[in-house]
Amino acid sequence: MSPRQDIDVRPLRDDGIPEWIRALNTGFLRPPSVSEAEIADRSTYLVPERTLGAFDGERCVGTFRSFGQEITAVGGAAVRADAITNVTVTSTHRRRGILTRMMARELTAAEERGDVVATLIAAEYPIYGRYGFGAATTAAEWTIDVPRSGLDPRRAAPDDGGRIDLVDGDDVRKTGPELYERFRRAQPGATDRSERWWRIATGALVLDRVPWTEPFHAVYRGARGEVEGLLSYTVDDRWGDAKQPLQTAKVTDLIAVTPAAERALWRYVCSIDWVTRVRTGWRAPDDLLPHLLPDPRAAAITSQADWLWLRILDVVAALEARTYGAAGALVLEVTDGQGQGSAGGRYRLDASPEGGSCVRTTEAAELTLGVGELSELWLGGESAVRLVALGRVREERAGAALVADALLRTSRRPWCPDIF
Ligand SMILES: CC(C)(COP(=O)(O)OP(=O)(O)OC[C@H]1O[C@@H](n2cnc3c(N)ncnc32)[C@H](O)[C@@H]1OP(=O)(O)O)[C@@H](O)C(=O)NCCC(=O)NCCS
């Protein structure tokens, strides 16, 4: 069906917030009525110029919002991202091109702002590829069968001079942000966390629309007393027959800046009396976890999926922001839509472990790929050889995909621990 031009796509006005929230809740299949508390809360952070509504007369039938974000590139640079969220089109108005109009408007604005990439977490896989996004990170969730893990609770405490302490939400808001900053600067694919994120995670801000259970928080301090890791988890209250404890601990956050902290915190949560199962929450696909247990098979992947979707807006800036696995050069023919997208063109990348330089060129291309595929490769988590096999990248020179992998791939997978 052709786009309906009678639908007005425009930035939010201050007096439009309740109607916009009603449309957002409707689109996400949440009770549509809007509480005063929700209006007050959302008014604290909604930026009208970056909040789009699609209006059929006075009625809001589409929502779309963006905010400024930093994402860590390979090598540790913080790159300016346009983070997209709150995307909905009401079910009566779907598949008429309303999302396409809102996205086009947003990507143009992001380019004008000088954002290097756009990011989002996709509700469903098929939505965003058409706009040049690629699935740049994946995530996995493990369920640990604690009795099977072989961990001896008498030996689960740190044996490296470090220690674990339980702390409360106030402590987490003091130590967590600094720890997370250290973590994310070393983790390609990680995005920054706002003060609001920490307030919600610790119960300082409880939203009436999100069920809240106060978590336990544990910090790991290394031998010198410095905080190196933070774990947050909740535990249910399940008992079997004959008073058998069957509790499940659900990890809501585990951030570590050293392998020692990672090891200590996983072993801690797997050695709490009564807890027979641990659900890890969404982790990096190559998380150390299974191999921190005497029997790694006790940790089974129960869910695995694409996570952060990314779209490169400025190819030169994106490729110059990262470091590479080796020294080498590659000429890329990047397609962006039917030729209209501004990321399209031919680029020569001169890469090295210290960084890269990228210029537009007329040299013969070695690889032809869409901007979505380049976006998927940018954080190092996907393989060009694999995308060639899938028919999504074309080699113009035999062996060019192997060169691309040697330059672009990383030894650890990129990971974005957060949802936004
Ligand atoms: C996803 C959503 C925003 C799409 O809005 P929309 O206005 O219907 O999208 P458009 O009409 O602009 O769609 C453009 C194209 O994407 C396709 N598309 C859109 N959503 C899709 C989906 N969920 N699955 C598969 N294809 C989809 C359309 O079929 C259309 O393809 P075409 O050009 O070949 O006809 C809307 O369906 C929605 O609100 N879904 C529920 C909430 C949600 O999932 N939001 C996304 C949160 S990340």
Side-chain angles (χ1 to χ4, degrees):
M1 200 177 284
S2 63
R4 270 179 60 159
Q5 298 303 336
D6 55 330
I7 303 294
D8 188 20
V9 172
R10 57 173 144 82
L12 193 65
R13 289 190 287 258
D14 280 342
D15 63 355
I17 289 179
E19 173 61 8
W20 188 89
I21 298 173
R22 190 200 48 69
L24 177 69
N25 289 343
T26 304
F28 281 145
L29 303 181
R30 297 193 291 241
S33 57
V34 183
S35 69
E36 288 303 321
E38 184 168 6
I39 296 169
D41 170 59
R42 292 201 191 266
S43 301
T44 62
Y45 65 87
L46 282 181
V47 178
E49 313 85 81
R50 296 190 71 160
T51 307
L52 292 178
F55 290 86
D56 187 345
E58 291 304 305
R59 196 164 179 86
C60 187
V61 294
T63 62
F64 193 113
R65 185 168 78 80
S66 75
F67 60 94
Q69 186 186 60
E70 282 187 356
I71 182 166
T72 304
V74 176
V79 169
R80 269 185 67 163
D82 177 50
I84 292 170
T85 185
N86 293 166
V87 175
T88 71
V89 172
T90 304
S91 39
T92 48
H93 287 68
R94 285 190 183 146
R95 308 301 183 264
R96 302 177 189 181
I98 294 177
L99 169 60
T100 303
R101 287 177 60 196
M102 295 193 291
M103 182 64 85
R105 189 176 171 132
E106 178 62 28
L107 294 181
T108 303
E111 275 183 36
E112 284 168 8
R113 273 193 299 268
D115 293 331
V116 177
V117 298
T119 56
L120 54 83
I121 307 284
E124 295 192 274
Y125 196 98
I127 304 174
Y128 296 103
R130 73 192 64 241
Y131 306 118
F133 285 80
T137 78
T138 62
E141 183 174 33
W142 281 265
T143 300
I144 306 169
D145 179 351
V146 172
R148 190 182 172 187
S149 71
L151 266 184
D152 178 350
R154 287 169 301 185
R155 296 198 176 79
D159 52 7
D160 53 11
R163 59 177 290 157
I164 289 176
D165 294 296
L166 288 176
V167 297
D168 62 23
D170 290 342
D171 296 318
V172 171
R173 281 193 303 284
K174 282 183 204 131
T175 53
E178 197 185 315
L179 178 79
Y180 184 79
E181 279 301 291
R182 279 181 68 195
F183 161 81
R184 70 138 173 143
R185 292 195 181 278
Q187 176 60 63
T191 51
D192 57 326
R193 281 183 180 174
S194 63
E195 191 207 345
R196 177 182 165 84
W197 189 99
W198 288 101
R199 292 175 63 223
I200 292 173
T202 55
L205 176 59
V206 177
L207 305 172
D208 62 351
R209 59 188 181 275
V210 183
W212 166 251
T213 304
E214 186 185 2
F216 299 95
H217 305 285
V219 294
Y220 169 86
R221 288 189 177 79
R224 286 180 305 157
E226 199 181 344
V227 174
E228 295 177 11
L230 168 67
L231 160 73
S232 302
Y233 61 98
T234 56
V235 185
D236 66 5
D237 186 26
R238 193 163 157 247
W239 293 82
D241 294 338
K243 298 177 78 176
Q244 185 191 7
L246 290 174
Q247 270 76 349
T248 296
K250 181 157 184 6
V251 174
T252 53
D253 198 25
L254 193 157
I255 293 302
V257 294
T258 59
E262 205 170 333
R263 175 175 185 270
L265 291 170
W266 281 123
R267 290 167 73 98
Y268 162 74
V269 75
C270 289
S271 61
I272 301 170
D273 286 342
W274 302 2
V275 169
T276 55
R277 237 165 46 125
V278 173
R279 289 197 67 132
T280 64
W282 292 101
R283 309 292 310 167
D286 58 353
D287 202 281
L288 300 182
L289 168 66
H291 298 281
L292 297 172
L293 305 174
D295 184 348
R297 289 188 197 168
I301 289 185
T302 36
S303 218
Q304 192 166 27
D306 53 285
W307 192 258
L308 183 87
W309 285 66
L310 187 138
R311 191 217 203 271
I312 293 179
L313 300 166
D314 181 336
V315 174
V316 169
L319 292 181
E320 291 191 341
R322 58 162 288 178
T323 59
Y324 294 87
L330 200 59
V331 179
L332 303 170
E333 179 76 35
V334 180
T335 58
D336 187 357
Q338 271 83 52
Q340 313 98 322
S342 57
R346 197 172 298 168
Y347 300 87
R348 179 189 166 94
L349 167 68
D350 283 282
S352 84
E354 287 74 48
S357 80
C358 179
V359 289
R360 288 194 183 255
T361 184
T362 53
E363 289 175 58
E366 297 170 284
L367 273 187
T368 297
L369 72 180
V371 67
E373 280 67 34
L374 184 62
S375 301
E376 217 159 298
L377 297 170
W378 181 65
L379 283 170
E382 188 46 272
S383 147
V385 168
R386 198 158 169 259
L387 295 182
V388 167
L390 287 166
R392 292 176 53 196
V393 169
R394 194 170 69 235
E395 273 191 327
E396 310 296 352
R397 184 181 65 71
L402 261 183
V403 173
D405 280 354
L407 301 183
L408 293 157
R409 282 208 101 179
T410 50
S411 49
R412 292 292 300 271
R413 305 279 298 277
W415 180 42
C416 174
D418 291 347
I419 192 160
F420 55 88

